[in-house]
């Protein structure tokens, strides 16, 4: 079964006074690109609303203070909520939510939440739903806490808190935060839950390889197609070669004064540094099903254009393969190396974002799976590319059985673009949801003709960037 295709955008609430920022607020919003998992989309919508409502409440309650605070301190207030997929397949969608808050005072705070859904039903999993031998797992958790942390740094009576959070039935009852990928279960205690702020968050990972008895069989993932997010500066510990031991992969980036990114990639004790054109570098580790591993680094350039540089992690030392011109991730978060999306701009009856499907090729570069360009953004309700027919336009109506019949788009129809091959056709729907295909061909100068008639004589609303 296909994996859920994720689109993660960001909502912003910001305030500036006399050229100085007073408040920076962001909240991730997550969507599905199609209706395959409609119940999961309902769960996403609820999370999106809660995240935005929380941001708006903090913004409204602190705006006046923020404007005074910046005058005295020279710093602005912040509230940032970011979602990062940890695992995404037909059995579970596991996300890490990170809320960073600074509302004045001595230091900021970060609170990590785990969101784990059954994509078939849209219901949130409790920890008990994905694990076996729950009492034995609890005993292992206590052992790991004592093994990796100084118990004297914990609050007095922390064992009672751990027990209460572990045996809580769900999020509403205060169950501890947890997430999973294909190799391990992560149990997370935020600052102040069992230890003071100075101790930082407390995490325990349960390896599937070492403790498969604690994980229900359906979640012991067999396919090795993981994608791990390192961001602009991050480290992941991952078994790259299947030898049972964790490798350390660290990525760091820094922008210089000439709009270049100085990036450093370190795999265990081997290091590679490069100077790349662009800004806002973000790195993703793509693990191939054949055991190969590559780092995809996305960089931004002018006009919100983004591109990917690909690094090989399979040799004695990491090395740069080169740039792919097939697109970049943008807001389409990759979660599987065998099935991911790359986006780009399309200039057919206007300018808009499109994506195509790819898999990780044997050479580490993206390999095209489906050449159809599909529009995205309309799933958020904000970016629908809609044209209005100025005349009756020859078209083919698509029937429910897949057949087509010759017809016309009536003058005045609203044509919502949905896909194209970039050369010979566009597909879309009307307001009633009926699907139509229109043949196009390139005009002798610029733009396209529709059966001999120039595009601007056929539609209103065609807008190109640049």
């Amino acid at each position: 079964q296909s994996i859920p295709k994720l689109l993660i955008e960001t909502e912003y609430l910001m305030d500036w006074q006399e050229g100085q920022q007073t408040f920076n607020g962001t909240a991730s919003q997550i969507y599905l690109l199609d209706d395959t998992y409609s119940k999961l989309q309902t769960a996403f919508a609820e999370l999106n609303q809660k995240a935005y409502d929380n941001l708006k409440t903090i913004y409204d309650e602190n705006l006046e203070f923020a404007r005074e605070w910046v005058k005295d301190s020279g710093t602005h207030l912040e509230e940032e909520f970011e979602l990062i997929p940890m695992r995404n397949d037909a059995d579970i969608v596991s996300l890490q939510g990170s809320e960073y808050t600074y509302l004045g005072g001595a230091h900021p705070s970060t609170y990590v939440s785990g969101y784990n859904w059954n994509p078939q039903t849209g219901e949130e999993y409790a920890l008990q739903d994905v694990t076996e031998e729950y009492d034995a797992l609890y005993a292992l958790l206590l052992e790991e806490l004592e093994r990796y942390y100084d118990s004297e740094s914990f609050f007095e009576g922390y064992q009672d808190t751990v027990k209460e959070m572990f045996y809580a039935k769900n999020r509403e009852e205060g169950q501890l935060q947890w997430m999973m990928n294909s190799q391990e279960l992560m149990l997370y205690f935020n600052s102040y839950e069992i230890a003071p702020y100075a101790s930082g968050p407390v995490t325990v990972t349960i390896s599937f390889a070492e403790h498969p008895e604690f994980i229900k069989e359906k979640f012991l993932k067999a396919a090795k197609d993981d994608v791990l997010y390192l961001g602009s500066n991050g480290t992941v510990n991952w078994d790259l070669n299947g030898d049972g031991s964790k490798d350390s992969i660290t990525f760091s980036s820094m922008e210089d004064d000439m709009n270049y990114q100085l990036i450093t990639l370190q795999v265990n004790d081997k290091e590679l540094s490069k100077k790349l054109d662009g800004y806002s570098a973000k790195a993703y580790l793509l693990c191939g099903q054949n055991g190969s591993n590559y780092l995809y680094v996305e960089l931004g350039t002018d006009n919100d254009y983004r591109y990917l540089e690909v690094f090989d992690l399979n040799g004695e030392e990491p090395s740069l393969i080169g740039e792919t011109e097939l697109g970049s991730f943008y807001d389409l978060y990759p979660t599987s190396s065998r099935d991911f999306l790359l986006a780009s701009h399309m200039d057919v009856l206007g300018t808009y974002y499109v994506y195509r499907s790819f898999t990780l090729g044997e050479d580490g570069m993206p390999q095209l799976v489906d050449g159809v360009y599909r529009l995205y953004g309309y799933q958020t309700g904000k970016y629908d590319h809609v044209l209005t027919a100025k005349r009756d336009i020859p078209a083919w109506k698509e029937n429910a059985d897949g057949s087509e019949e010759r017809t016309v788009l009536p003058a005045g129809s609203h044509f919502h673009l949905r896909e194209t091959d970039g050369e010979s056709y566009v597909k879309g729907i009307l307001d009633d949801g009926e699907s139509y295909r229109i043949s196009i061909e390139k005009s002798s100068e610029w733009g396209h003709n529709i059966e001999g008639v120039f595009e601007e004589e056929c539609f209103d609303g065609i807008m190109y960037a640049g």
Side-chain angles (χ1 to χ4, degrees), residues 418-437:
R418 291 295 181 261
E419 73 173 58
T420 178
D421 66 351
E423 296 178 356
S424 66
Y425 77 88
V426 294
K427 285 185 180 181
I429 61 172
L430 302 188
D431 292 341
D432 60 6
E434 295 289 345
S435 181
Y436 292 81
R437 177 175 62 87

Side-chain angles (χ1 to χ4, degrees), residues 28 99 293 323 369 412:
S28 287
E99 182 178 3
N293 301 279
E323 175 185 347
V369 173

Side-chain angles (χ1 to χ4, degrees), residues 15 29 83 93 95 107 112-113 121 134 154 186 194-195 202 210 258 266 299 314 339 377 384-385 416 434 465:
D15 183 66
Q29 304 280 280
L83 287 172
V93 173
L95 307 177
H107 55 73
V112 171
S113 301
T121 66
Y134 206 64
F154 296 155
M186 291 148 279
I194 64 172
V202 177
E210 296 177 10
M258 301 302 292
Q266 184 170 348
L299 297 109
N314 302 292
D339 186 7
D384 204 357
H385 191 81
H416 304 250
E434 295 289 345

Side-chain angles (χ1 to χ4, degrees), residues 23-51:
F23 190 95
N24 181 66
T26 63
S28 287
Q29 304 280 280
I30 185 168
Y31 305 89
L32 293 173
L33 289 177
D34 58 41
D35 297 326
T36 304
Y37 296 93
S38 58
K39 294 179 180 179
L40 179 61
Q41 181 60 78
T42 300
F44 284 175
E46 293 175 358
L47 176 61
N48 290 343
Q49 191 63 55
K50 289 180 181 178

Side-chain angles (χ1 to χ4, degrees), residues 13-16 22-25 53-64 66-67 79 103:
L13 278 178
M14 298 186 180
D15 183 66
W16 296 74
T22 67
F23 190 95
N24 181 66
D53 288 348
N54 180 63
L55 172 61
K56 185 67 164 59
T57 297
I58 292 174
Y59 176 84
D60 290 341
E61 292 179 351
N62 291 277
L63 184 57
E64 183 176 349
R67 292 174 175 175
E79 168 64 23
L103 300 178

Side-chain angles (χ1 to χ4, degrees), residues 374-433:
R374 293 180 171 84
L375 280 76
Y376 75 94
Y378 64 87
Q379 295 88 347
T380 69
K382 296 184 292 185
Y383 306 112
D384 204 357
H385 191 81
V386 185
L387 306 178
T388 302
K390 299 168 70 173
R391 57 195 293 168
D392 289 350
I393 299 172
W396 282 263
K397 181 180 178 181
E398 295 191 332
N399 299 315
D401 62 2
S403 63
E404 293 184 328
E405 60 181 272
R406 186 68 164 166
T407 183
V408 297
L409 290 184
S413 298
H414 297 146
F415 187 55
H416 304 250
L417 269 68
R418 291 295 181 261
E419 73 173 58
T420 178
D421 66 351
E423 296 178 356
S424 66
Y425 77 88
V426 294
K427 285 185 180 181
I429 61 172
L430 302 188
D431 292 341
D432 60 6

